[in-house]
Structures are given as C-alpha cells and as structure tokens.
Amino acid sequence: MKKIIFILLPLLMMVGCKKDLTSLNVDPKNPQVVPSRSLFTNAQHTLANTLASSSVNLNIFRLIVQYWTETTYVDESQFDLNTRQIPRGVWNTLYRDVLKDFEEAKRTIPNDVADAAVQKNQITITDIMEVYTWYYLVTTFGNIPYTDALNIENPFPKYDDQKAIVDDLLKRLDADITALNISAESFGSADIVYEGDVAAWKKFANSLKLKIGMTIADADAAKAKTTVESAVASGVFTSNADNAQFNYLSGPPNTNPIWVDLVQSGRKDFVATNTIVNKMKLLGDPRMPYYFTFDATGSDYSGGVPGASNNYATFSKPAGPLLVPGSAGMITNPDFPHLLLSYDEVEFFLAEAVERGFSVGGTAKEHYDKAITASIRWWGGSAVDAADYLVGPSVNYLTAPGSYKQKIGEQKWIALYNRGWDAWIEWRRLDYPVLQKPTGALTEFPMRFTYNVDEQNLNKKNYDEAAAAIGGDVVTTKLFWDKF
Amino acid sequence: MKKLLSLMAVLALFITTALAQDRTITGQIVDEKGNPVPYATIKIKGSSIGAAADQNGNFSIQAKTGDILQVSAAGLEMLEIAVPAQGAVNVTLKSGDVMREVVVTALGIRRTRNQLPYSAQQVAGDEVSKTRTSNFVNNLSGKVSGLELRQTNTLGGSTNILVRGVKSITGSNQPLFVIDGVPFDNSTTNTTDQRTGRGGYDYGNAAADINPDDIQSVTVLKGAAASALYGSRGNNGVILITTKKGRSGLGITVNSGFSWGQIDKETFATYQHAYGGGYGQYYEDPSGFFLYRDIDGDGVKDLVVPTSEDASYGGKFDPSKMVYQWDAFDPNSPNFNKARPWVAAANDPTAFFENSLSSNQSVYLDGASEKGTFKLGYTRTDDKGILPNSKISKNLVNFGATYNVTPDFTVGGSINYSGITGKGRYGTGYDDKNVATNFRQWWQTNVDIKEQKEAYMRFKQNVTWNWADPSDLTPIYWDNVYFARYENFENDSRNRYFGNINANYKIGEHFNILGRVSLDNYDEFQEERQAVGSVTTSAYSRFDRTYSETNYDLLLNYDQDISTDFNLKALLGMNIRKQHITSMSSSTNGGLITEKVYSLSNSANPINAPLESDGRREVDGVFAGGTLSYKDMITLDGTIRRDASSTLPEGNNVYYYPSVSIGFVFSKLLPDLNWLTYGKLRANYAQVGGDAPFYSTLDVYTIVPPFGSQAQSSVSSTRNNPELKPERTKSSEVGLELAFFKNRLGFDVTYYDAKTFDQILPTTVSTATGYSSKFLNAGTIQNKGVELSAFGTPIQSQDFSWTINLNWTRNRNKVVSLFEGSENLLLATFQGGVSINATLGQPYGTIRGSDFVYTNGAKTVRTTGTAAVIGRYMTSTTSNEVIGNPNPDWIGGINNTFKYKNLSLSFLVDVRQGGDVFSLDLYYGLATGLYPETAGNNDLGNPLRNPIAEGGGVILPGVKPDGKPNDIRVEAINYGTFGYRYTPAAGFIYDASFVKLRELVLTYSIPSKTISSWQFVKGIDISLIGRNLWIIHKNLPYADPEENISAGNLQGYQGGAYPTTRTLGFNLRFKF
C-alpha cells in the first residue's frame, strides 16, 4: 500500500498545488504592444495598395473608366460587382485594414512618442490620412457609418448622411492644417510618402481640401468656393516635386501590386481599350508609349472593345519592359510609385475653379496647360513633348471643343491614367469623357458601389435606413455631389 | 525491420505454451429451461476453428484442454467455457437479457446493456479492419446511427465526422477519440485556404494514425449524458476505441492484403466531342475561332488553336481542317511545326487516372499468463493513388503489456508509434496544382492527355497545351498536368508516440484505484513546392507542427451489492490535461534562385519571418459519478464534473456540469410474453460546459513583414474578450430498446434534443467597427433527431444464415439565436460568389449566393435591359439569398450478411437522402463548354452553338415576368451561356443524395478439418473485398455527391472534385 501511495504521490501533488491557470493564456508569439509608427506605416501601405491594385477582387476602376478592359474573363468590365463581391473587398479593406490601423496609431502615439510637438504632428498627419481614406469611402458608397464607426463597443454603427460626412472631413482638414507644426519632426522614414516632411503634409492637406472642395462644387457652390479659396491661399502643390506618391520597393511583398497582377502572375488579363487609345491617337498624345505598348502590328496602338472578349495578342497592353520587352512605360516595374495626390490634379482643379469663378489666380488655360505639362513630365515625356501637344487644336484650351467640363474632363481622364478610382469620381462629377457602353453590360454605368453585402446581415436596420436615404442600394443611385 | 523481428522473437520466447494434443470434444447446448438449442455456434477463442451444433444442440469439435470455447446462439447470451481435462462439455446458455456484448463506456467503464441508460453503439474491430481504407474511420460509415461521415476522394484526405449534428458554430464539431481511456488527438491541420477551396493539400485527420489491426471494438457515445465525464471535449460525442488485449497462450496473426482501384467514371467529367479549344468567335482568322499566323513560313496564314484559352467553346471539329496545335510549337514533338486535323482528342482526361494500389501487411503477436499480458503489433500500409506520383505509407507499431505485481496490484503500459509519410497528395480547390479543377472547369477537348504525358516525359519540361501565345511559350493558366504532378509535389510526414503507464490497485473487495499518466505526442512536417517554370511563381514552403498532450488521471472506483437487489457503483476522479501545440510555417519570397533546389535559403528575395504559433492549455477536472441499480432492472446514473480551464478569464474559468440518467428494463416484468425477448426504456439529461480557444481573452497585434526597414503591424481583425464565460450544452434523450423472438429481431430507437448556447465564438460584426469579428458568448444551435438501429435474422439454420443490420438517422439542426440583432454569421466565402453561413432560423451551414427570380415558382428571364441579358435569367437583387442547405434529411445504412458453412458474404448499402452541394465544377465547366449539355442540337434540331440567324441558340426553360412561357431565343455561340455568367449561383446547387454499395466482402474460412492436420496453423481466412463498387443512385452529374474539400464545418461545396475510386482486393489472414 505504501508503495502505491508513493506512485500516486506526484498525481496528488498536482491536485494539491494551487496554480495560476490564467497566466497560461498569454500569447507568447504576438505582442500586446507595438510601436505606434508601425501601425501608421502599415495603414499607409495598405491604403496605397488598395488604390494601386488591379486585382479584380478589389480595384476594378481602371475597367469602369475604360483605361483597360479584360481579355477573356470579362465579368468586371461588364460591371459584374457581385460574383467577386468587390464592394465587400473595398469596404473591408478601407474600414478594417486601413482606418482601424490609423485610428489605433492615433490612440497609441501618446504612449511611445515623448516630444509633444512630434506627437501632435504625428496625430495630425494620421488624421489627414484618415480624411483621405474617408474621401474614397464616401464618394464610393454615399451614406456610410462614420460617427459610430471604428468602435467595436457599438457593433451596429448607424450610417451618416454623406454630405454631413464631407462637411466634417473639411472641418477636420482645417483643424489639421492649423495643427501642423512645420518646425517639428513627425514620422521620419516610417512615413513612406513624405518621410515625415511636415511642410509637405501641409501642402498635401491643402491640396486634399481643394479636391474635396471641388468635389462638392455642383452640390454646394458657395461652400466649394470658400473651401477652395482658403486651401489655395494656404498653399497647395506647386510642382511635381510636391506629389504625394507611395514609393514601392523592388522586392516582394512590398512591390507595387500592379507588378504582382501583371508581371509576377504571368496572367494576360488586360489590354487597353479603344476608348482611350483612339482618343490619345486622335490627340497625338505623347504619353502613349508610357501608357501602352504597341499592338500586334508592332508599330501602332489599338485597344479592345470594353466588355467584349478581346484577344490578348492583338491589342496594346499596359506599357512596361517587364510585360512587353522594349516598351517605354514603367507601370510594370515592381517599384513603380503610386500617386496618391498629384500636382497635375491640383492644376486641373484650379482650371476648373477659375471657370467656376473662384478666386484662385491665373486663367483656366494657364492651369490647364500646367496640369497637362506636369502629367506628361511625370510620365517621362519632355517639356517639348508637352508644348507640342498643347498647341494641337483639339488639346489647346482655347480651341478644343466643348464646355470647360468636357475639355478638363477629357484631359484629366487621360492624366489620371492608372488612377482609376479618382478618374471614376471625376468622370461622374464632370460627365466627361463620353464612355461607350461595354458589350454585354449587365447594368448601366455604376454611379456608386452597392454596400458590402454583409451589412444586410450584420447591421440590417442601419443598412435599410441608409439604402432608403440615398434612394436605393443600387449602382445607379447618384451621390449627392453628382448633380448632372 | 530486422530489429523488430528479433524483438518479436524474444517476446515469443517470453511466453511459452505447451502445445497440447487436440482431441475431439463433444457436448450439448441447452437453454435455461433445459431445451436443446439448435444450431448454436461453437468457436475456439482466438482461432477460426469452429463448429455448429445440430438440431438437438449436440456438437463436436477438435480442441485441447484449456482452450476457451465460445458458445453463441441467436437470442442467447454468449458463454465462454474452458475445455476440461476430460469429459463432455455441456453448456447452458442464459436467455437473452443482453442483446449484444458488454459495452465499453466513458473512461473505459464496462457496462452490460441492462445498466446502460444512454445511447452507445458498438462496432466490432473486425468491421473496421476487414475492408481496408487508408483511414479506419471511413469504415464506420453506415454502421452507426447518429454518425454522419463525409469522406474525400483524395488520397489520405480527411474524413468529416459528426455525431448528432453540428453543435458549435465556429469551433470544432469533431468527436473526441479515446483509446483505452486516453484522449487521442484527431486534428485536421488543413489551412483556411485549403478548407475554403483556394488551393492546398488535404493532409488528413490524425485519427488515421490508429492501427485498425489493434482495435478490439469501437463504441460511439452519442449524447452528452454518455460523454459527460469527458467534459467539454465530449460535447461532440466520443469515439471510444478499445484495443486488443493479450489472450492466454501465444497467438500470432498474420494478415496480408492487396487491393486495386479504378475511377468510377460516373463520378468524372464527360466531354462533348464537337467543339475544340477557344472561348468564342473573336480570334484572328476569318471564322473567328482560330489564331491566324504564318507558322510554316510559306507566306500564307495558317489556322492556330488559341492556346491561351482554357475552354472548349472554339471551332467546330472538322477532320478536313488542318490546325496548328500546342505540340506544333514544341521542338521536341514529332508534330513540331505540323498542322493536324481538327478533331476531338482520342484520350480525354479520364486516361490521366491510374489504377490505385494498396498493400496492407501486418503481424500481431499476443499472449498472456498469470503474470500478465502482452501484445505487439506491426502494420505496414502502402497506398498509391489514382494520380501519378502519389503515395502514402504508414508504419504502425503497437506494444502493450501488463504485469501483475500482486494479485491485487497490476501495472501496465503501452507505447504506440505511428509514422506516416506522404508524397504527392492531390492538390485541392481552385488551384493550378489541382488537376481536377483543370479537367472539370478549364480544358480544351482537342488536347490528348497521352500526348501531354509524352511531351512532359521526353525532357521533363513544362510542355503545356496552354501556351500564353504561340509566340510566347510560357504556360498561362495551366501547367502540363504531368509537370504539375511530378514537379510541383508536396511531401509530408507525421511521427506519433502515444502511450501511457498505469497502476491499478484493488483495495479490499469493493474499491479499486487507478493512476495513469498518458502522453500523445506527434510532430508533423509538410513541404510544398512550385517548380521553376510553373504557371505560378516558383516557391518552396514548409510547415512544422508539434502536438503534445499529457493527461494525469486518478480514478477511484467502488462497486458493491448493497443488498440482493441493489448494486451501487461509484466513481471519484480527477484529470489534469495539459496541451501544447506549436507550429511554424515559412516560405520563399518571390521565387527560387536555382531550379529544383527546395530550401528556404534558395529564395529569390529575403524571406519574410516564419509564422509561429504556440498554444498552451491546461484543464483541471474533478468528477464523481454514481450508478444505482435495482435487480438489474432499473438503473439510475448520475455524474458531476468541475473543470477549471486556462483559456477562460480568471473568475469565469471554473464551471460545473451534471448528468442524470435512468434505464428501465421493463421486459423483466413481462416474463410471460414469449415473443418479447428484451425491452428497455431509458431517459437522460445532461449539461456540458466548454472553454475557449487559445488566447481569445487578451488583444494582440499582428506583426506584418516590414516595409524595407520600417516595421509594420496591424490591429488583429478579431477582437478578443476578457469577459468570456464558459459555453454550455443542455441535452436530453429518450430511448427504447426492444428485441423479439429470441433476438431474431430487434431495434433501438432514440430521440434526442440538444441545445448548445452561450457559445464562445468570434461573432462576425460589421467591419465598419474596424474588426471582422469579436469573441463573445453568443449563439445557440439546436439539434433534434431520431436514431434507429435495427437488426434481424430472417434465416437461421445449421448451414445458412442471413442477418440484417440497419442504421437510420434523422437530425434536424437549427441556428436558434445569434449575437443580438445579427441575422447571419458568415463562416467563409468561396469562389463562385457563394458563402457558407450560420443563418438565424436556418440549419447550420447555409449556402448563400445569388438566386433566380421566380414567377409562380418558375425561373424568370429578362425581357428588358441590355441586349446581352434579354432572354437570360433574372438574378436576385442581392447575392445573399439562402440557396442551399448541406444537411441531409436522413442518412442510413443497411448491412446484409449471408453465411453458408464457411463462406460468408456481406454487403453494406449506404444512403444519404437530401442535402445540397454547390458545384464550382459545373459553374465554370458549363460556361467553358466542356460538357455535353453545352453542345448538341437545340429544339429546332440545329446545332445550338450556331448563331440564331442560322437556326442556333437556345430558349432557356422558364417564364417571362408576365408569367408566360419563355420564348426568347438567346445566342449560345460564345462561352457562358450555360455556366455562371448569366445564371445565378443557385443554378449550380445540386441535390447531394446518394445510394452507394459501400462494401462487399466475401470471406472463406478454410474448414478446421482441412487445417487441423497442419499443426501450427489455427485458422486461415481468405477474403475478397470490394469498396465503393457502385453508386446506385445520385443526382449530381459527373461527380460523387459525397466528395468534399476537407473535414470541418464548411460542407456543401465542391470545386475540383476528384472521382471516386472503386477498389477490389483480397486479404489473407493466418492465425498461428
């Protein structure tokens, strides 16, 4: 009997010992605290990826505005948003993967940044990035969760009115512009766009304010005017050197996502559309070799029919030597930078502001010329190329046909090549260029995205209210700033 | 192997037996009333020597003194009796109180039927070892009511096991495996991508490590009352395995089996033979179906297959048309630079599948003496699959021994080793390594699979039919399938050690104390490859995982007849369970530097840090149970258990749960009813508590690979919760067992109702919160159902018998509540715009996607809209309709056994009625024009792929919005008409019912008379075995409705499904 007790003793000991079981439940492989700037970098990176991507699961805006079309699997070119649940991809990425990390960075910056001025700059820059992100959400969906958003304690966030959101974004930008302290540091190299240059962020904030101000120009001219004028007075981009661009690296996983989609994958999904190629040919656009490769003839450019099945070998493709050896563009380089906000864009807004009677200085033609020149230079063309192009009668602002909306709309569309999301916003607002209805289109042109389908299950009451408030959760519902 | 043999020799010497001389034993068998029992069976235990009694119960058999005779007869209790030194053996069999043998229940406690107040169904070891499959669990299909199995057709793939339906919304629903009282891990480590059809390999479930040759019996504990003592892990039911014990004397069993298999063509694609590669009429030549290039340099443009197109919506076959195909651009092909007649391939992908081959060899030694018992088993299994370059080998060693230190004190131990190595498992899901996805969804019917084989074999190069372009000879979407199999293969291994040491001490007459320490330890290693030159970026990845669980058990048993009528059994125990799981996965980044070198250091770019996980859990449990029985007629049973778990927050981490059961053998009160042999009513109620997954209380960040030198991190998409409390299940059950006519007929019927509530789950929330999900106690699932097991012996005579066993299960599952206002919990999204969900008020696992718009119940076509969509089906405005339910209405199995003298034939028919499956294979494959439905003639008798102007096109069945029959003809000239492009996801939901001839076994035992002269052999059985021979009925075309991607909660989705393998084999068993 004694022996047995000895044998069983270890077992009895284990029962007897009081243990702190809960301490076992601390994950030894994942941190409970991280540097706040690592959250900022990640969010900035994810945001840039979302805007730059050409994945048909996430970013199909190049197809909608007819820069590219698909070869064989043409669903997205025909506006099929459902099969791949593209609105879900956009919604989830921007809310959960971008905004939440920015928000968390803001929350934790005071914990690990000692200098008060740096701390304030960092929080302010993060807020500017948030406003920038919200801009895409609100212009894509309309009413969205905003005041209740990013708060897990409220799992059923209500949707805010889209106009109220835009007003609030402008308010936040004003506060941010005031708050930035140019004489102090900010994120340093954790900021991939400006390496922490606070003065550059100030120009960025003003330029973004200009952009949002112009977005509402048709809906609220008075507010647009004061917004735009104050932004310009405070200092917007004045050259390509001011451009906000996300500078990708050449090694995966930190490359431009287009390289992954076009080059690394080996897929041959996209060709140019005849919409843009024909237009650029007509105008003799010097950006053509930077945008597209020669077609099957080896000496000319042609594009496929949007929405139709297109033979890959036949048509021009996005330019870049990695995709088509010898071609001039850089789009397919793994480290091709993605533009978040650009000088040419600012000049186009200024040209339009002049036409709308806002006091921003200069003439519409001056700004228009500067915009086109800046775009050509950024893509690799020379000043001479630009000057030659601008005298073409269909390009020359004074002789080109149509209203200012048409002139600016068409040139801006060309300049915004590779930035399909922005082009889609501007196309809806300016109603130019005239796009052709894709072959086999399943719906009319999307004027917005339908909401993330999950909202119907997870946040139904608020979803229903929002859908009713905007005039129906369908792609043809126009958003408040899209008056015409 | 040599070492093993010498070890076995030593052990054989360790226990020696005197070989006594056989003599003829005679005797008579009578029942309690003294009436002779006709045709009883007499068998020598541990051998196949047997005899049958005659009509008057008289028998004779060759045996020696000390042999154990097993005497059985229908309706009577089996009896074992030792052969006396001299004289006749007269046997009295008790009338059948007990329908079958003693049942092993929770914690290894043995109960007679009478004392069993809950549902537990036992299957003999023979049933799972006789017809070999790579995973013995598959052999339970159709043999136990309440148990639903779903097997995959991949080699070594995982088997989904459900006992009484899905209970946990996001946790595991797989039952607990327990071997001789010790939990045995049955994890499936398939990745999320694999489980959601995005590619990867099915590495199987770890229960496949169990050696079927070592199984004495399998008991399935179905309800919470039966499994309450196992705590939360028993919530999903328990598969209790009792291994063989050493028997007196020395026994040697040698088993040798081989089997061959071929695909069941009913479960694979059938191709149309009229049109070749292409997507439609928009290429370069005047007809629009071909590329138009001058290939031979004669200045005239030639017809070329659009090689980049992975569809068969191209040019109509025409032997007079000369076309340059993929091989015209392969300089090593005899067809280099040659055009070929435009015809369908002589060998379609069916010819890709090889014959499977399995070998199963085992040696089993056992013995016992008064000092103890031992056993040693070795089994070697080799399985070669239906795909080239696929093989799984298993080495299983079992050793166990007990030693009687004193008559009251026994120590024992066992150690089991299993080593599984796999190579070339089948790629799954929507992936270039899944050849079935290639064959079923994206193929050119003009491509001859044998020519693809030759093209690869010549120089082992990726000579694919799917060139990006004749001027760009790189694969675009699909590799040469042989290249994919031989170069992009995986390999894996799992080494497992499972064993325990125990000590058992009898204290006086009524007490018994058991102490046990047991260990379940394994490491897994998986390597995956993507060769340089493949469609996707070359890569190498490895995954290392270790699993360790240690259990410390202390059990005090008490058993006493309190009076002549009352018996009390009581139990007090404790269990400490420590679990530790670690894993690490790592892969190359952006390609390989040198081809065919598969190492992390061969990465083209610096590799990202490996992903590590490290999970620990400890659960401390104390439990008590008592069973009071009255006259073996009424049994009252109760248990209570207290657990403290490390995964729950302090203050909420202790929980209690009870069970009560009652059993009433009412037939004891009705001795006059001659036809009623046995009748029992039972009822029980139980609660079970459960803890949380690892690390679901404290929030952590995810570290993202750095951007250059800049650190990156992200908020985890799941919000943890420091206020979690234990989850709960309440279940109740009533059952009735009846047997008639001396057990010639009987059944066991059970009704159960179980609710699992306060579930700990990462509830999906609106991502506008910044998270995808939040851990909460929320959600209730209810399972109600009826189980029926029945048996009958329609014929029983001296030489011939026919027995039937039937199992039938009907489970109704419902998601009763979810988190507050949410109406759906998204479990996973899949390719094809569908998702699997827990939807409020619906059965678990609903398939959601776009639906048709119905007018008076008929599918409606559009009459307005863009030209492309007029005459095509209208689609629901949201892509979120419930379009399918994967749960069957009922499942069942019928086994028939015919015995004639030494010959026995049995066959099992396995049935599943109802349940839906979404087929991505048809979603795409009908669009790409592979199947006969997409070709042929239309209602006008013209080729439907002709333009409408030429009498082609189709009128889709359905109505127009005004309810009138559809009369709008639509073009079927380009890809997509029949597939996904114009048809909502609901169009690809199929009924997954099936009736299968699952098993067919013909066994011949060489008569004892024949072998009695061979002194060393005790028995020889020869079996002919067939498995999955015939799918008698199914509604899913071109595939096996049972096929799934992986075990787990996501069922009802097929993509890249493999065909069923029909196997036929033989098995030889020698007993010495």
Side-chain angles (χ1 to χ4, degrees), chain A residues 230-289:
Chain A
S230 75
V232 172
S234 176
V236 294
F237 292 165
T238 54
S239 78
N240 276 344
D242 293 332
N243 282 353
Q245 59 185 36
F246 191 87
N247 296 300
Y248 282 103
L249 305 179
S250 53
N254 297 317
T255 65
N256 190 315
I258 315 180
W259 173 79
V260 176
D261 296 338
L262 298 187
V263 181
Q264 191 191 34
S265 75
R267 294 181 66 99
K268 298 179 189 293
D269 290 327
F270 305 110
V271 292
T273 63
N274 58 13
T275 320
I276 188 166
V277 169
N278 293 351
K279 183 77 184 173
M280 289 175 77
K281 272 167 83 170
L282 190 74
L283 301 176
D285 199 303
R287 285 164 290 193
M288 188 75 106

Side-chain angles (χ1 to χ4, degrees), chain A residues 220-237:
Chain A
D220 187 346
K223 188 173 177 91
K225 182 170 159 54
T226 56
T227 302
V228 166
E229 288 173 0
S230 75
V232 172
S234 176
V236 294
F237 292 165

Side-chain angles (χ1 to χ4, degrees), chain A residues 155-172:
Chain A
F156 305 105
K158 74 168 198 303
Y159 288 56
D160 293 270
D161 175 68
Q162 47 183 329
K163 185 165 189 315
I165 295 170
V166 171
D167 288 349
D168 191 62
L169 294 179
L170 288 170
K171 235 185 256 170
R172 281 167 73 171

Side-chain angles (χ1 to χ4, degrees), chain B residues 69-83:
Chain B
L69 297 184
Q70 294 175 319
V71 184
S72 55
L76 301 171
E77 208 171 324
M78 192 186 85
L79 191 79
E80 294 192 351
I81 189 162
V83 173

Side-chain angles (χ1 to χ4, degrees), chain A residues 1 4 7-8 11-12 14-15 19-22 24-34 37-39 41-42 45 71-75 78 82-83 85 88 91-92 95-96 100-101 104 107-108 145 149-157 189-190 192 246-249 251-254 264-269 309-311 313-314 437 440-442 452-460, chain B residues 279 282-284 291 293 309-310 409 442 468-469 472 476-477 505 513 515-516 535 537 552-554 574 576 589-590 605 608 612-614 616 618 620 644-648 650 653 694-695 697-701 703-704 706-708 710-715 717 719 764-772 774 819-824 826 829 833 848 866 868-869 878-880 923 975 980-981:
Chain A
M1 187 65 195
I4 295 151
I7 289 166
L8 299 175
L11 288 168
L12 293 168
M14 263 171 287
V15 194
K19 275 170 297 190
D20 177 16
L21 278 178
T22 317
L24 286 174
N25 206 28
V26 176
D27 186 345
K29 295 293 183 185
N30 289 298
Q32 291 181 43
V33 177
V34 289
R37 61 191 168 78
S38 65
L39 292 159
T41 307
N42 185 57
H45 184 192
T71 53
T72 306
Y73 314 106
V74 293
D75 310 74
Q78 298 176 342
N82 285 335
T83 300
Q85 304 279 15
R88 173 192 275 156
W91 181 281
N92 286 352
Y95 272 112
R96 182 193 62 202
K100 181 64 198 178
D101 284 348
E104 187 72 358
R107 191 182 71 81
T108 55
L150 308 178
N151 173 16
I152 188 66
E153 302 310 321
N154 178 4
F156 305 105
S189 48
I192 310 301
F246 191 87
N247 296 300
Y248 282 103
L249 305 179
N254 297 317
Q264 191 191 34
S265 75
R267 294 181 66 99
K268 298 179 189 293
D269 290 327
S309 298
N310 294 291
N311 185 31
T314 310
K437 190 150 187 191
L442 299 178
N452 176 0
V453 69
D454 299 337
E455 289 287 305
Q456 297 178 34
N457 303 317
L458 300 173
N459 195 15
K460 187 160 186 1
Chain B
Y279 270 97
Y282 57 88
Y283 302 98
E284 300 165 355
L291 301 179
R293 317 266 174 95
E309 307 296 59
D310 48 357
F409 182 46
W442 312 100
D469 191 82
D472 176 7
I476 178 162
Y477 305 118
Y505 188 66
I513 187 163
R516 180 170 58 209
V535 161
T537 312
Y552 304 88
D553 293 299
L554 193 58
M574 54 143 284
I576 297 172
N589 180 13
N605 292 284
N608 296 321
E612 294 175 89
S613 78
D614 184 322
R616 287 165 195 274
E618 178 171 336
D620 297 346
S645 169
S646 67
T647 64
L648 287 166
E650 208 158 5
N653 64 352
F694 294 132
Y695 312 137
T697 56
L698 296 173
D699 280 320
V700 292
Y701 294 96
I703 296 177
V704 179
F707 187 87
Q710 297 308 315
Q712 296 194 102
S713 63
S714 181
V715 176
S717 60
R719 174 74 168 203
T764 41
V765 290
S766 164
T767 48
T769 61
Y771 293 91
S772 296
K774 180 184 184 179
F819 166 59
E820 288 180 36
S822 60
E823 296 180 1
N824 190 70
L826 178 76
T829 59
R848 302 185 82 151
T866 58
V869 299
T878 81
S879 53
N880 197 29
Y923 177 88
Y975 102 103
Y980 71 99
R981 294 189 68 196

